[in-house]
Amino acid sequence: QSPSSSTPGAEQREKQFRAHPGFGDRRGGVISARTYFYADEAKCDQHMETFLRCIDASGGSSVEGFSAIKLTALGRPQFLLQFSEVLVKWRRFFHQMAAEQGQAGRAALEMKLEAEKLQEALANLGIATKAESQHWFTGENLGVSGTVDLLDWNSLIDSRTKISKLLLVPNIKTGQLEPLLSRFTEEEDLQMKRMLQRMDVLAKRATEKGVRLMVDAEQSYFQPAISRLTLEMQRRFNRDRAVIFNTYQCYLKEAYDNVTVDVELSRREGWHFGTKLVRGAYMEQERERAAKIGYEDPINPTYEKTNEMYHRCLDYILEEIKHHRKASVMVASHNEDTVKFTLRRMMELGIHPSEKKVCFGQLLGMCDQITFPLGQAGFPVYKYVPYGPVNEVLPYLSRRAQENRGFMQRANRERDLLWQEVKRRLLDGSLFSPNP
């Protein structure tokens, strides 16, 4: 990432979404995720080719396999920072309007602005006259009820809607209108288009190969843009089944709002919602960056709060599967309590493993005491396999070892489990069978 001073208008940018030289190496404090760095467009094309080979390998080795990609590998992270700031400011403006209408503290989906009052507020703020804003809320599903919710609001900044005045929002402290975003340069605009083109190539290949594409989550200051771009892919490729999976990090304070808003959008538009739920991989770095630069820590205060958030998000998706059958979830967790919670709720809701709407994921070489029994019980369960040049993969693997320093405490358990499995296969004659 380039220093903030190199970006026009950077001094007006919010602290969280500026590129800071001290955090240019995004590996610092990260012990459980691969990281990609932008060199040039040719490097992004190389990453895309690598992802294509991974999709081919997954399609050739398993039925209904998964392949994971990272969007910072496919374009310039500076664009993701800028786009994330736009989305966050726009959503915050909605919440400010909701607070003025006495709806502060409600869940995101429960906030409904009265269109009449909203138009008056926009006029008073100098953003648009009532006549100008009236046609914004007269679409097929927009404002028909006389209210505007967050999904209606988000659609106003959709790439298909060119309302330049919407790129101005008021600064509550100064009372002045400020641009959401400095204009993209021609080169930045091209970089965005190239990133979208690469995503499109990968999604098409995944669809052809019968592989599901998981877009990995990254740092919170990139994530709004990553989620929005992934959403656009889901709209296009998830019409008949969940091909594109977004990742939600449940250590984020806003995780539940993000999940519920996106599920509701999938309901309204009729596509299949696909998600991978994780706790999160960037906690130490996120906290250090927030403290050093001076913005609110985006992470839940305790591990217990993150557990609650994970189970709350998971429960919401399981209910969606039960009632609409148009959602799929990967429970990507090494936490036995979370796995037990999932199994219990599936039983209570009548979601059978054979439907393959719920699957589980663990890292290769970790938590086999969870993976084996799930597979034996008929649940779809996947191992997340890191790949790449040795010098790039070894730091990732060493960080996993660092994160799991207590693994020796579980070694006896895993050894006993493995012996049980060997004995079982010996007894039923399947030890050397290709499909035990």
Side-chain angles (χ1 to χ4, degrees), residues 1-291:
Q1 300 163 33
S2 57
S4 59
S5 58
S6 67
T7 308
E11 60 281 359
Q12 277 88 44
R13 303 278 306 282
E14 292 202 6
K15 291 176 180 177
Q16 185 174 2
F17 300 102
R18 291 184 206 163
H20 289 265
F23 291 88
D25 180 354
R26 300 193 304 278
R27 282 194 181 99
V30 177
I31 55 176
S32 53
R34 279 287 303 279
T35 309
Y36 292 88
F37 296 97
Y38 179 80
D40 52 34
E41 294 299 306
K43 192 70 175 171
C44 292
D45 285 335
Q46 286 176 25
H47 290 149
M48 182 186 73
E49 292 298 329
T50 301
F51 289 150
L52 286 170
R53 289 198 296 275
C54 181
I55 290 167
D56 291 345
S58 183
S61 60
S62 62
V63 178
E64 296 188 320
F66 281 96
S67 183
I69 64 170
K70 274 192 161 72
L71 291 201
T72 51
L74 298 175
R76 191 165 175 250
Q78 181 70 27
F79 159 67
L80 294 172
L81 280 174
Q82 289 178 297
F83 191 25
S84 290
E85 183 180 28
V86 169
L87 296 169
V88 166
K89 278 188 174 179
W90 191 238
R91 187 171 58 205
R92 191 181 301 150
F93 185 28
F94 174 85
H95 285 292
Q96 288 167 351
M97 295 289 101
E100 287 188 12
Q101 291 193 16
Q103 298 187 48
R106 289 193 190 178
L109 275 179
E110 291 172 12
M111 291 181 176
K112 297 188 189 300
L113 306 183
E114 290 182 36
E116 194 80 19
K117 285 185 182 175
L118 177 59
Q119 287 167 354
E120 286 173 14
L122 292 171
N124 292 338
L125 290 164
I127 292 178
T129 66
K130 205 163 180 187
E132 283 175 324
S133 66
Q134 213 150 15
H135 74 278
W136 298 351
F137 306 106
T138 55
E140 189 179 334
N141 299 310
L142 198 57
V144 172
S145 61
T147 61
V148 176
D149 66 12
L150 184 56
L151 291 178
D152 298 329
W153 183 252
N154 285 344
S155 72
L156 291 177
I157 206 168
D158 194 291
S159 59
R160 290 166 294 186
T161 319
K162 303 294 182 188
I163 304 176
S164 59
K165 284 197 175 184
L166 287 179
L167 296 178
L168 294 173
V169 294
N171 181 320
I172 299 301
K173 289 179 184 172
T174 65
Q176 299 295 308
L177 287 178
E178 292 180 356
L180 269 175
L181 178 70
S182 307
R183 282 177 64 98
F184 277 166
T185 64
E186 197 173 328
E187 178 55 30
E188 285 168 338
D189 199 43
L190 281 171
Q191 284 168 348
M192 178 179 74
K193 285 175 181 166
R194 289 180 196 129
M195 180 183 276
L196 290 167
Q197 285 166 352
R198 291 179 188 115
M199 292 169 71
D200 190 63
V201 167
L202 293 171
K204 282 177 177 167
R205 180 72 67 88
T207 304
E208 287 166 15
K209 299 287 182 177
V211 171
R212 289 165 292 178
L213 202 60
M214 292 189 305
V215 180
D216 272 349
E218 303 194 50
Q219 285 91 340
S220 63
Y221 38 95
F222 297 134
Q223 195 53 44
I226 289 170
S227 286
R228 183 56 184 263
L229 294 171
T230 304
L231 202 71
E232 290 301 324
M233 285 208 294
Q234 289 180 312
R235 280 173 152 163
R236 291 183 55 203
F237 292 94
N238 286 12
R239 305 308 305 183
D240 302 317
R241 61 190 287 266
V243 175
I244 309 297
F245 278 57
N246 198 4
T247 303
Y248 295 86
Q249 300 174 102
C250 295
Y251 68 4
L252 294 177
K253 293 172 182 173
E254 61 179 28
Y256 183 75
D257 275 353
N258 292 341
V259 167
T260 54
V261 166
D262 290 354
V263 167
E264 175 61 24
L265 182 67
S266 73
R267 273 191 216 129
R268 289 188 193 180
E269 297 185 344
W271 44 268
H272 288 250
F273 179 80
T275 179
K276 177 174 73 165
L277 285 185
V278 300
R279 278 174 172 76
Y282 306 97
M283 184 173 72
E284 289 177 29
Q285 188 213 58
E286 290 272 18
R287 287 198 161 141
E288 184 190 349
R289 189 178 189 270

Side-chain angles (χ1 to χ4, degrees), residues 421-433 435-436:
E421 178 66 5
V422 169
K423 288 173 188 172
R424 183 188 71 79
R425 294 188 185 188
L426 277 170
L427 287 170
D428 66 14
S430 63
L431 184 61
F432 300 106
S433 167
N435 293 301

Side-chain angles (χ1 to χ4, degrees), residues 331-357:
V331 181
S333 176
H334 298 144
N335 185 300
E336 290 187 34
D337 290 336
T338 293
V339 172
K340 287 173 184 172
F341 172 86
T342 310
L343 300 179
R344 177 172 59 79
R345 289 298 288 140
M346 285 178 71
M347 195 163 27
E348 290 168 357
L349 294 167
I351 302 169
H352 197 270
S354 63
E355 295 178 58
K356 297 186 178 176
K357 296 288 188 185

